[in-house]
Short mmCIF file of all heavy atoms in Angstrom, two decimals:
data_model
loop_
_atom_site.label_atom_id
_atom_site.label_comp_id
_atom_site.label_asym_id
_atom_site.label_seq_id
_atom_site.Cartn_x
_atom_site.Cartn_y
_atom_site.Cartn_z
N TYR A 229 -3.19 -14.27 17.52
CA TYR A 229 -1.98 -14.36 18.33
C TYR A 229 -0.95 -15.22 17.51
O TYR A 229 -1.27 -15.70 16.37
CB TYR A 229 -2.17 -15.01 19.69
CG TYR A 229 -3.24 -14.36 20.49
CD1 TYR A 229 -4.47 -14.61 20.46
CD2 TYR A 229 -2.80 -13.31 21.34
CE1 TYR A 229 -5.53 -14.00 21.09
CE2 TYR A 229 -3.69 -12.65 22.16
CZ TYR A 229 -5.12 -12.92 21.98
OH TYR A 229 -5.98 -12.25 22.76
N HIS A 230 0.31 -15.21 17.93
CA HIS A 230 1.25 -16.15 17.35
C HIS A 230 2.14 -16.92 18.50
O HIS A 230 2.39 -16.26 19.42
CB HIS A 230 2.20 -15.37 16.43
CG HIS A 230 2.97 -16.26 15.59
ND1 HIS A 230 4.21 -16.90 16.07
CD2 HIS A 230 2.85 -16.54 14.15
CE1 HIS A 230 4.70 -17.64 15.00
NE2 HIS A 230 3.90 -17.38 13.94
N ILE A 231 2.13 -18.19 18.32
CA ILE A 231 2.72 -18.94 19.42
C ILE A 231 4.24 -18.50 19.70
O ILE A 231 4.68 -18.54 20.88
CB ILE A 231 2.79 -20.37 19.24
CG1 ILE A 231 3.40 -20.78 17.86
CG2 ILE A 231 1.38 -21.06 19.28
CD1 ILE A 231 3.51 -22.25 17.62
N GLN A 232 4.91 -17.96 18.73
CA GLN A 232 6.28 -17.33 18.93
C GLN A 232 6.31 -15.86 19.09
O GLN A 232 6.97 -15.23 20.00
CB GLN A 232 7.12 -17.91 17.79
CG GLN A 232 8.59 -17.56 17.88
CD GLN A 232 9.38 -18.13 16.70
OE1 GLN A 232 8.84 -18.91 15.85
NE2 GLN A 232 10.61 -17.82 16.61
N TYR A 233 5.65 -15.13 18.01
CA TYR A 233 5.78 -13.64 18.10
C TYR A 233 4.98 -12.90 18.82
O TYR A 233 5.21 -11.68 19.15
CB TYR A 233 5.82 -13.27 16.50
CG TYR A 233 6.63 -13.96 15.64
CD1 TYR A 233 6.30 -14.71 14.56
CD2 TYR A 233 8.15 -13.98 15.82
CE1 TYR A 233 7.08 -15.37 13.77
CE2 TYR A 233 8.95 -14.70 15.10
CZ TYR A 233 8.43 -15.48 13.95
OH TYR A 233 9.34 -16.12 13.14
N ASN A 234 3.78 -13.49 19.25
CA ASN A 234 2.76 -12.76 19.95
C ASN A 234 1.97 -13.71 20.78
O ASN A 234 0.79 -13.99 20.66
CB ASN A 234 1.79 -12.10 19.03
CG ASN A 234 0.82 -11.14 19.72
OD1 ASN A 234 1.02 -10.78 20.83
ND2 ASN A 234 -0.32 -10.78 18.98
N PRO A 235 2.63 -14.34 21.87
CA PRO A 235 1.97 -15.40 22.66
C PRO A 235 1.00 -14.91 23.52
O PRO A 235 1.08 -13.74 23.99
CB PRO A 235 3.15 -16.15 23.30
CG PRO A 235 4.23 -15.20 23.32
CD PRO A 235 4.07 -14.22 22.23
N THR A 236 -0.03 -15.76 24.01
CA THR A 236 -0.95 -15.36 24.92
C THR A 236 -0.38 -15.60 26.33
O THR A 236 0.60 -16.36 26.44
CB THR A 236 -2.22 -16.13 24.83
OG1 THR A 236 -1.85 -17.56 24.68
CG2 THR A 236 -3.07 -15.78 23.65
N LYS A 237 -0.99 -14.95 27.41
CA LYS A 237 -0.34 -15.16 28.66
C LYS A 237 -0.55 -16.63 29.11
O LYS A 237 0.29 -17.25 29.69
CB LYS A 237 -1.10 -14.22 29.77
CG LYS A 237 -0.85 -12.78 29.28
CD LYS A 237 -1.19 -11.78 30.55
CE LYS A 237 -1.08 -10.41 30.10
NZ LYS A 237 -2.19 -9.80 29.16
N GLN A 238 -1.79 -17.20 28.81
CA GLN A 238 -2.03 -18.42 29.20
C GLN A 238 -2.14 -19.34 27.88
O GLN A 238 -2.94 -18.86 26.93
CB GLN A 238 -3.45 -18.58 29.92
CG GLN A 238 -3.51 -19.24 31.23
CD GLN A 238 -4.81 -19.31 31.75
OE1 GLN A 238 -5.58 -18.23 31.83
NE2 GLN A 238 -5.25 -20.42 32.20
N GLU A 239 -1.60 -20.46 27.77
CA GLU A 239 -1.58 -21.20 26.44
C GLU A 239 -2.93 -21.52 26.00
O GLU A 239 -3.79 -21.99 26.74
CB GLU A 239 -0.76 -22.51 26.68
CG GLU A 239 -0.10 -23.10 25.48
CD GLU A 239 0.59 -24.36 25.71
OE1 GLU A 239 1.18 -24.56 26.79
OE2 GLU A 239 0.64 -25.22 24.75
N ASN A 240 -3.20 -21.21 24.79
CA ASN A 240 -4.42 -21.52 24.07
C ASN A 240 -5.71 -20.85 24.67
O ASN A 240 -6.84 -21.28 24.37
CB ASN A 240 -4.68 -23.02 24.06
CG ASN A 240 -3.77 -23.65 22.92
OD1 ASN A 240 -3.52 -23.00 21.83
ND2 ASN A 240 -3.33 -24.85 23.17
N ILE A 241 -5.41 -19.79 25.39
CA ILE A 241 -6.64 -19.03 25.95
C ILE A 241 -6.39 -17.53 25.57
O ILE A 241 -5.39 -16.98 25.67
CB ILE A 241 -6.68 -19.06 27.49
CG1 ILE A 241 -6.69 -20.50 28.09
CG2 ILE A 241 -7.81 -18.19 28.08
CD1 ILE A 241 -8.04 -21.16 27.78
N CYS A 242 -7.55 -16.95 24.90
CA CYS A 242 -7.46 -15.68 24.35
C CYS A 242 -7.26 -14.58 25.57
O CYS A 242 -8.07 -14.69 26.53
CB CYS A 242 -8.70 -15.28 23.61
SG CYS A 242 -8.87 -13.60 23.11
N ASP A 243 -6.31 -13.77 25.52
CA ASP A 243 -6.09 -12.76 26.51
C ASP A 243 -7.32 -11.73 26.55
O ASP A 243 -7.55 -11.34 27.71
CB ASP A 243 -4.87 -11.80 26.21
CG ASP A 243 -3.49 -12.53 26.37
OD1 ASP A 243 -3.47 -13.62 26.92
OD2 ASP A 243 -2.49 -11.94 25.91
N ALA A 244 -7.86 -11.48 25.46
CA ALA A 244 -8.97 -10.45 25.56
C ALA A 244 -10.30 -10.99 26.07
O ALA A 244 -10.80 -10.24 26.81
CB ALA A 244 -9.14 -9.89 24.11
N CYS A 245 -10.67 -12.20 25.76
CA CYS A 245 -12.02 -12.63 26.14
C CYS A 245 -12.01 -13.95 26.80
O CYS A 245 -13.09 -14.41 27.17
CB CYS A 245 -12.89 -12.62 25.01
SG CYS A 245 -12.73 -14.05 23.86
N GLY A 246 -10.88 -14.63 26.95
CA GLY A 246 -10.85 -16.03 27.60
C GLY A 246 -11.19 -17.11 26.74
O GLY A 246 -11.40 -18.31 27.15
N GLY A 247 -11.56 -16.80 25.47
CA GLY A 247 -12.02 -17.82 24.43
C GLY A 247 -10.88 -18.82 24.17
O GLY A 247 -9.72 -18.59 24.48
N LYS A 248 -11.38 -19.86 23.50
CA LYS A 248 -10.37 -20.97 23.09
C LYS A 248 -9.66 -20.57 21.83
O LYS A 248 -10.31 -19.99 20.95
CB LYS A 248 -11.10 -22.21 22.89
CG LYS A 248 -10.41 -23.44 22.69
CD LYS A 248 -11.27 -24.59 22.49
CE LYS A 248 -10.55 -25.74 21.75
NZ LYS A 248 -11.35 -26.45 20.81
N LEU A 249 -8.43 -20.85 21.76
CA LEU A 249 -7.57 -20.51 20.47
C LEU A 249 -7.48 -21.80 19.52
O LEU A 249 -7.32 -22.90 20.09
CB LEU A 249 -6.10 -20.06 20.85
CG LEU A 249 -6.09 -18.75 21.74
CD1 LEU A 249 -4.71 -18.34 21.74
CD2 LEU A 249 -6.90 -17.64 21.19
N ILE A 250 -7.62 -21.60 18.32
CA ILE A 250 -7.55 -22.69 17.41
C ILE A 250 -6.49 -22.22 16.15
O ILE A 250 -6.29 -20.97 16.01
CB ILE A 250 -8.78 -23.02 16.76
CG1 ILE A 250 -9.45 -21.85 16.19
CG2 ILE A 250 -9.78 -23.69 17.62
CD1 ILE A 250 -10.42 -21.95 15.00
N LEU A 251 -6.01 -23.24 15.39
CA LEU A 251 -5.41 -23.07 14.10
C LEU A 251 -6.52 -22.93 13.16
O LEU A 251 -7.38 -23.95 13.11
CB LEU A 251 -4.53 -24.18 13.83
CG LEU A 251 -3.66 -24.16 12.57
CD1 LEU A 251 -2.61 -23.03 12.56
CD2 LEU A 251 -3.01 -25.49 12.25
N ARG A 252 -6.63 -21.89 12.45
CA ARG A 252 -7.72 -21.72 11.36
C ARG A 252 -7.50 -22.87 10.33
O ARG A 252 -6.46 -23.20 10.05
CB ARG A 252 -7.50 -20.34 10.69
CG ARG A 252 -8.48 -19.27 11.21
CD ARG A 252 -8.07 -17.95 10.76
NE ARG A 252 -7.95 -17.78 9.28
CZ ARG A 252 -7.72 -16.65 8.75
NH1 ARG A 252 -7.49 -15.46 9.43
NH2 ARG A 252 -7.56 -16.52 7.42
N ASP A 253 -8.83 -23.31 9.84
CA ASP A 253 -8.76 -24.35 8.87
C ASP A 253 -7.85 -24.04 7.57
O ASP A 253 -7.11 -24.90 7.11
CB ASP A 253 -10.16 -24.75 8.34
CG ASP A 253 -11.06 -25.50 9.43
OD1 ASP A 253 -10.38 -25.89 10.44
OD2 ASP A 253 -12.22 -25.47 9.27
N ASP A 254 -8.03 -22.77 7.35
CA ASP A 254 -7.20 -22.35 6.11
C ASP A 254 -5.83 -21.91 6.28
O ASP A 254 -5.12 -21.48 5.40
CB ASP A 254 -8.02 -21.23 5.32
CG ASP A 254 -8.12 -20.05 6.10
OD1 ASP A 254 -7.86 -19.99 7.28
OD2 ASP A 254 -8.53 -18.88 5.53
N ASP A 255 -5.31 -22.21 7.52
CA ASP A 255 -3.88 -21.98 7.83
C ASP A 255 -3.02 -23.30 7.82
O ASP A 255 -1.88 -23.31 8.05
CB ASP A 255 -3.69 -21.47 9.26
CG ASP A 255 -4.02 -19.88 9.14
OD1 ASP A 255 -4.10 -19.33 8.16
OD2 ASP A 255 -4.10 -19.27 10.25
N GLN A 256 -3.68 -24.31 7.31
CA GLN A 256 -2.89 -25.55 7.03
C GLN A 256 -2.00 -25.28 5.94
O GLN A 256 -2.35 -24.67 4.87
CB GLN A 256 -3.83 -26.78 6.66
CG GLN A 256 -5.03 -27.03 7.66
CD GLN A 256 -4.48 -27.59 8.98
OE1 GLN A 256 -3.38 -27.94 9.17
NE2 GLN A 256 -5.30 -27.48 10.00
N PRO A 257 -0.77 -25.94 6.00
CA PRO A 257 0.22 -25.47 5.05
C PRO A 257 -0.14 -25.64 3.50
O PRO A 257 0.03 -24.74 2.74
CB PRO A 257 1.54 -26.46 5.22
CG PRO A 257 1.30 -26.76 6.71
CD PRO A 257 -0.11 -26.71 7.01
#
Side-chain angles (χ1 to χ4, degrees):
Y229 302 90
H230 193 283
I231 52 175
Q232 184 180 354
Y233 306 120
N234 183 21
T236 46
K237 295 191 185 85
Q238 239 184 306
E239 202 178 332
N240 284 327
I241 303 288
C242 177
D243 285 350
C245 77
K248 187 177 156 222
L249 301 188
I250 52 152
L251 179 71
R252 260 168 52 180
D253 287 345
D254 62 347
D255 280 351
Q256 306 293 342

